Amino acid sequence: MINIAVLGLGTVGGGVAEVVEKNQAEIKKALGDNLHVKYILDIREIPGAVKDINVIVNDPDIKVICETMGGKEPAYTYTHLALEHGISVCTSNKELVDAHGVELSAIAREHNCSYLFEASVGGGIPVLRALRESCGHEKISYIAGILNGTCNYILTNMKNGTDFSEALKEAQGKGFAERNPAADVEGHDTARKIAILASLVSGKKFSYEQIECEGITKITQEDFIEADKNGMSIKLLGVYDAENNNVNVAPYLVPKTNPLYGVNDVFNGILVKGNQVDNLMFYGRGAGKLPTASAVVSDVIECAKNIGKNINNNFADLPEAAINKMPENNSGYKFRVLS
Amino acid sequence: MINIAVLGLGTVGGGVAEVVEKNQAEIKKALGDNLHVKYILDIREIPGAVKDINVIVNDPDIKVICETMGGKEPAYTYTHLALEHGISVCTSNKELVDAHGVELSAIAREHNCSYLFEASVGGGIPVLRALRESCGHEKISYIAGILNGTCNYILTNMKNGTDFSEALKEAQGKGFAERNPAADVEGHDTARKIAILASLVSGKKFSYEQIECEGITKITQEDFIEADKNGMSIKLLGVYDAENNNVNVAPYLVPKTNPLYGVNDVFNGILVKGNQVDNLMFYGRGAGKLPTASAVVSDVIECAKNIGKNINNNFADLPEAAINKMPENNSGYKFRVLS
C-alpha cells in the first residue's frame, strides 16, 4: 500500500480523496498497489484533518503528497519541505508552478523525488505528460490553447446571442465563475497556463508577468455577428509562437476549419504543432472537481511507480526567457486570426 | 548511442529514418542519448539494406527494432525472434497487433523487453500511451473514434456536396486511398483499430473478426442533407461500449455539439469517456509518413529508456472477449446517433 497525504481539502483535494476511494480497483491495476489517503491537512477545523505539515513529512510511510491548496503560501513552504524530505509532490496549483516551479523541480531532482503538475493546465486533459513524453522528440513550433472554461462558456453563450454581462452572470450562477471574475475574464488564468505549456516545450521559463494579456471584456455581440459572417468564431487563446519568440493571451478569430472552433462551453482544447507529427489537439474538461482530481491522481501513480527516482518534468534548470512583443495584428479584422 | 534497426523501408520505415535524422537534437534531449539506425532490413534490393533478420537480432548493439513492414508475415516471425533475443519491438502494424499482440506481449515480458504499438492506432496521435498511463486509473465506459483518414476525407467531401465515387476517386488521386479501397471504405481498418483500443482499456482481447462492421459505401448525398437539417454530420466510427459489451464499426450521426463533429478531412479523432475525467478527445493526423513515424519514434525512446525492463502495454495475458450483438438502432434515423 502506498500512503499519500492531501494538503487542502477544497474542491480538488476532496476530488482526489473521492477518486482514490471510488477507483480503487483501477488504481490497483494501473499501479500494482493500492493508494491510501493517510493524512488530510487543512487549516480549517475538519474532523480527522491535521494542521501541522511536520506530522506528514516526518512520517516515513508517506511517499507522495498532493498539494491542492492553491496560492503561493503556505503551498510553497510545504512543497519545499516535502521535496527536501524526498517526498514527491503532485499539484494542481498553476500559480505556484508558474512562480516557483523551476526551483521546486531542481529540489525534487536533488532529493530523488518528483514534482508533477498535470492538473495545473487543462484540468483533466493529459496534455503535459503527452508533451513531455510522447512528443519529447518533436520540435514544437506553436501551441494555441482554450485554457479557461469560464471564458469559453461565456464566449459560447455570446456566440449564441447572449451579451457579455448576462453570460457572465449565468456562469456565476452555475458556479463556473468566481464573484470576482477578473482572473478569468482578463485572461490571467490563461496566461499562467500558457506560460507553463510554453516553458515545458521551449526549454526556457516563460513567466505569467511577461505575457501581454487581453481578456474578453471588450468583445461585443457585433463582433460575433461579424466573425460568423466570415466563417469564424471568437475564442480566448493562450498562444506560444516559437518563431516569433512570443507568448500571448488574446481573443482570436478561429476559422471553422480549425479544430479549436468546436471546443465549446466549459471545455478546453490545446492545439499543438510539432515538426514531424503536425497538428495534435487535446480536448477535455479544463476544470471541475473530479476531472482535475483525476489528473492529480495520474501524477500520484507515476510518482508512486518511481519512488526514489526523479521524473524529469522538463522544468528543472530552465533559464528565464526573454520575450518579444506580440506581432502586429495584420489580419484586417478587429482580432488576430488563428492561422 | 542507442542502435536500432528498421524492418521494412516503406512509407513509415522511411519516415522513422527521417525523424531520427532530422530531430537528433530533440531526441537527445528527450532520451539523454542519441538514436542511430544501424540496420535497415528490406526484401527489395536497397543499397546498404540487409535481408537476413539474424544479422540484426544477433548483433548485441541492437536494443530496439522498428517493425514497419505491415502484414502478418514475415513481421510475426521477425518480431517473435527479436523479442526472444530481448530486443524491444515498436510497430505500426495494426494487423499483427490485432492477430498476435497478446502472444507477442507475453513473450516481451518473459524476455524483459517491450512490444509497443502507438503508431498502430491514430497515426501520430499519442492516444495509446495516454490511455495506458494517464488514464490507467479511469473506468473507461465508451470510446468513439474516427480512425480512418481515407473514409473521413471522403465523408468530409460528401458533406460538401461531392458524391461517393467522385470523392473516392479524389482520395485515390491524392494518394490517401488504395487502388483497392475495400479495407478502408468497408470499415475493416477502423475495426482493427477500435479492437486494439477496446482491448487496451477493457482487459479483454477484442478481435477484428468478431466486430460487426458496416462501411461508408451506402451513404448518399441525401443522407448528408437530411443529417445537416438535423444539425448533425455522418462519420464512420469505431465504437467501444462497455455497458453493452459491444465493439462495432458503422456510420453514425454526430451532433454539432460533439467534438468529433469538427474532425474533418484526413484527420482522426478519438473520444474517450472515463468515469472521473469525463470526455477526452485526442485529435491529429491518423496516417502519413512523418506523423506515423513520429509515434514509432516515441515508442523507441520509451523502450530505449527502459532497456532490460518490460513496459506493461496492457496486452499480455488478455483473455478473449465475448462480444454482444450491436444494440438495435432506436434513433428513428437511418443511422445510429452518437450519444
Side-chain angles (χ1 to χ4, degrees):
Chain A
M1 189 160 69
I2 306 280
N3 285 290
I4 68 172
V6 175
L7 312 187
L9 196 64
T11 304
V12 180
V16 169
E18 187 172 334
V19 171
V20 167
E21 172 67 25
K22 292 216 173 125
N23 280 30
Q24 276 187 53
E26 289 73 23
I27 290 169
K28 173 87 199 261
K29 221 173 116 192
L31 171 59
D33 206 339
N34 290 304
L35 283 184
H36 172 64
V37 180
K38 184 168 178 181
Y39 297 107
I40 285 166
L41 178 145
D42 205 285
I43 48 164
R44 296 165 298 176
E45 291 297 337
I46 293 176
V50 299
K51 294 192 175 199
D52 181 2
I53 186 69
N54 291 294
V55 173
I56 297 170
V57 296
N58 289 317
D59 182 341
D61 272 5
I62 293 296
K63 304 300 182 196
V64 187
I65 286 176
C66 305
E67 185 272 290
T68 50
M69 316 181 85
K72 285 187 194 160
E73 283 295 356
Y76 170 71
T77 302
Y78 290 3
T79 300
H80 204 293
L81 194 65
L83 296 172
E84 282 181 330
H85 280 76
I87 301 169
S88 292
V89 177
C90 305
T91 190
S92 55
N93 188 339
K94 54 195 170 287
E95 197 180 337
L96 188 61
V97 173
D98 174 60
H100 296 291
V102 171
E103 179 201 355
L104 293 169
S105 300
I107 295 171
R109 195 181 50 189
E110 199 183 316
H111 293 273
N112 302 313
C113 59
S114 303
Y115 184 54
L116 298 183
F117 38 86
E118 180 67 83
S120 69
V121 178
I125 307 171
V127 62
L128 296 195
R129 201 194 297 200
L131 290 177
R132 213 174 65 213
E133 296 182 2
S134 298
C135 300
H137 63 290
E138 288 279 338
K139 245 178 249 181
I140 306 292
S141 58
Y142 204 84
I143 299 177
I146 295 172
L147 295 165
N148 182 280
T150 303
C151 287
N152 207 38
Y153 179 85
I154 292 170
L155 294 177
T156 303
N157 276 279
M158 288 179 74
K159 187 175 186 337
N160 296 333
T162 314
D163 74 12
F164 176 78
S165 59
E166 193 65 30
L168 172 60
K169 245 184 253 164
E170 218 181 291
Q172 287 169 322
K174 291 194 173 181
F176 303 148
E178 307 284 332
R179 283 277 183 86
N180 178 351
D184 291 327
V185 299
E186 300 294 351
H188 304 149
D189 176 77
T190 299
R192 287 211 168 84
K193 291 167 177 170
I194 191 68
I196 293 171
L197 287 168
S199 304
L200 190 85
V201 302
S202 70
K204 294 173 289 189
K205 179 62 180 67
F206 291 93
S207 291
Y208 158 67
E209 283 88 2
Q210 304 171 288
I211 296 173
E212 277 180 86
C213 187
E214 183 187 335
I216 63 170
T217 55
K218 288 179 203 147
I219 306 171
T220 64
Q221 271 303 306
E222 288 65 41
D223 295 332
F224 272 101
I225 293 165
E226 183 69 17
D228 197 55
K229 263 191 219 153
N230 294 294
M232 300 194 274
S233 188
I234 307 168
K235 299 286 186 188
L236 184 72
L237 300 183
V239 170
Y240 162 63
D241 175 353
E243 199 193 334
N244 291 305
N245 191 39
N246 179 261
V247 180
N248 67 74
V249 174
Y252 276 76
L253 289 158
V254 177
K256 219 172 241 180
T257 49
N258 190 292
L260 290 175
Y261 182 91
V263 177
N264 288 316
D265 299 315
V266 295
F267 283 91
N268 283 194
I270 300 123
L271 188 70
V272 176
K273 191 177 176 70
N275 72 323
Q276 306 293 352
V277 76
D278 197 41
N279 279 341
L280 294 173
M281 187 179 76
F282 303 88
Y283 167 99
R285 290 195 179 271
K289 180 178 180 170
L290 296 174
T292 309
S294 178
V296 176
V297 171
S298 80
D299 278 349
V300 170
I301 290 171
E302 198 180 359
C303 289
K305 278 182 176 174
N306 290 283
I307 290 170
K309 276 185 266 180
N310 172 252
I311 298 159
N312 180 1
N313 66 2
N314 280 18
F315 254 60
D317 299 330
L318 289 188
E320 291 276 331
I323 186 169
N324 290 347
K325 289 282 292 175
M326 203 168 163
E328 248 182 274
N329 176 11
N330 293 322
S331 70
Y333 295 100
K334 176 173 168 187
F335 303 112
R336 287 170 176 78
V337 177
L338 179 65
S339 53
Chain B
M1 190 159 69
I2 306 280
N3 284 289
I4 68 172
V6 175
L7 311 187
L9 197 64
T11 305
V12 180
V16 169
E18 188 174 333
V19 171
V20 168
E21 172 67 26
K22 292 217 173 125
N23 281 29
Q24 276 186 53
E26 289 72 24
I27 290 169
K28 173 87 198 262
K29 221 174 114 191
L31 173 58
D33 206 340
N34 291 303
L35 284 183
H36 171 64
V37 180
K38 184 167 178 181
Y39 297 107
I40 285 166
L41 179 144
D42 204 285
I43 49 165
R44 296 164 300 175
E45 291 298 337
I46 294 176
V50 299
K51 294 191 175 201
D52 181 0
I53 185 70
N54 291 294
V55 173
I56 296 171
V57 297
N58 290 317
D59 182 341
D61 272 5
I62 293 295
K63 305 299 182 197
V64 187
I65 286 175
C66 304
E67 185 272 291
T68 50
M69 316 182 85
K72 283 186 197 161
E73 282 296 352
Y76 170 71
T77 302
Y78 289 3
T79 300
H80 204 292
L81 195 63
L83 296 172
E84 282 181 331
H85 280 76
I87 301 169
S88 292
V89 177
C90 304
T91 189
S92 55
N93 188 338
K94 55 194 168 285
E95 197 180 338
L96 188 60
V97 174
D98 174 59
H100 295 291
V102 171
E103 180 200 356
L104 293 169
S105 301
I107 295 171
R109 194 180 50 189
E110 198 182 319
H111 293 272
N112 301 314
C113 58
S114 302
Y115 184 54
L116 297 183
F117 38 84
E118 181 67 82
S120 69
V121 178
I125 307 171
V127 61
L128 296 196
R129 201 193 296 199
L131 290 178
R132 212 174 66 213
E133 296 182 2
S134 297
C135 300
H137 63 289
E138 288 278 339
K139 243 178 249 177
I140 306 292
S141 59
Y142 204 84
I143 299 177
I146 296 172
L147 295 165
N148 182 278
T150 304
C151 287
N152 207 37
Y153 180 85
I154 292 170
L155 294 178
T156 303
N157 277 279
M158 288 180 74
K159 186 175 185 340
N160 296 333
T162 314
D163 74 12
F164 176 79
S165 59
E166 192 66 31
L168 172 60
K169 247 185 250 161
E170 217 181 292
Q172 286 170 323
K174 293 196 173 180
F176 302 147
E178 308 284 331
R179 284 279 185 83
N180 179 351
D184 291 326
V185 300
E186 301 294 351
H188 303 149
D189 176 76
T190 299
R192 285 209 169 85
K193 291 167 177 171
I194 192 68
I196 293 171
L197 288 168
S199 304
L200 190 84
V201 301
S202 70
K204 295 174 287 189
K205 179 64 179 68
F206 290 94
S207 291
Y208 158 67
E209 283 89 359
Q210 302 171 290
I211 296 174
E212 277 180 86
C213 187
E214 184 188 335
I216 64 170
T217 56
K218 288 178 203 148
I219 305 172
T220 65
Q221 271 303 307
E222 288 65 42
D223 294 331
F224 272 101
I225 293 164
E226 183 68 16
D228 197 54
K229 263 191 221 155
N230 295 293
M232 301 195 274
S233 187
I234 306 168
K235 300 285 185 189
L236 184 72
L237 300 182
V239 170
Y240 162 62
D241 176 352
E243 197 193 335
N244 291 305
N245 190 40
N246 178 262
V247 180
N248 68 75
V249 174
Y252 276 77
L253 289 159
V254 177
K256 219 172 243 180
T257 48
N258 190 293
L260 290 174
Y261 182 92
V263 177
N264 288 315
D265 300 315
V266 295
F267 282 89
N268 282 195
I270 300 123
L271 187 71
V272 177
K273 191 176 176 71
N275 72 322
Q276 306 294 352
V277 76
D278 197 41
N279 279 342
L280 293 173
M281 187 179 77
F282 303 89
Y283 168 100
R285 290 195 179 273
K289 180 178 182 170
L290 296 175
T292 309
S294 178
V296 176
V297 172
S298 80
D299 278 349
V300 171
I301 291 172
E302 197 179 0
C303 289
K305 280 183 177 173
N306 290 281
I307 290 171
K309 276 184 266 179
N310 172 251
I311 297 160
N312 180 2
N313 66 2
N314 281 17
F315 254 60
D317 298 330
L318 288 189
E320 291 277 330
I323 188 169
N324 291 347
K325 289 284 289 176
M326 202 168 164
E328 249 183 273
N329 176 11
N330 293 322
S331 70
Y333 295 101
K334 177 174 169 186
F335 303 112
R336 285 170 180 79
V337 177
L338 179 63
S339 53

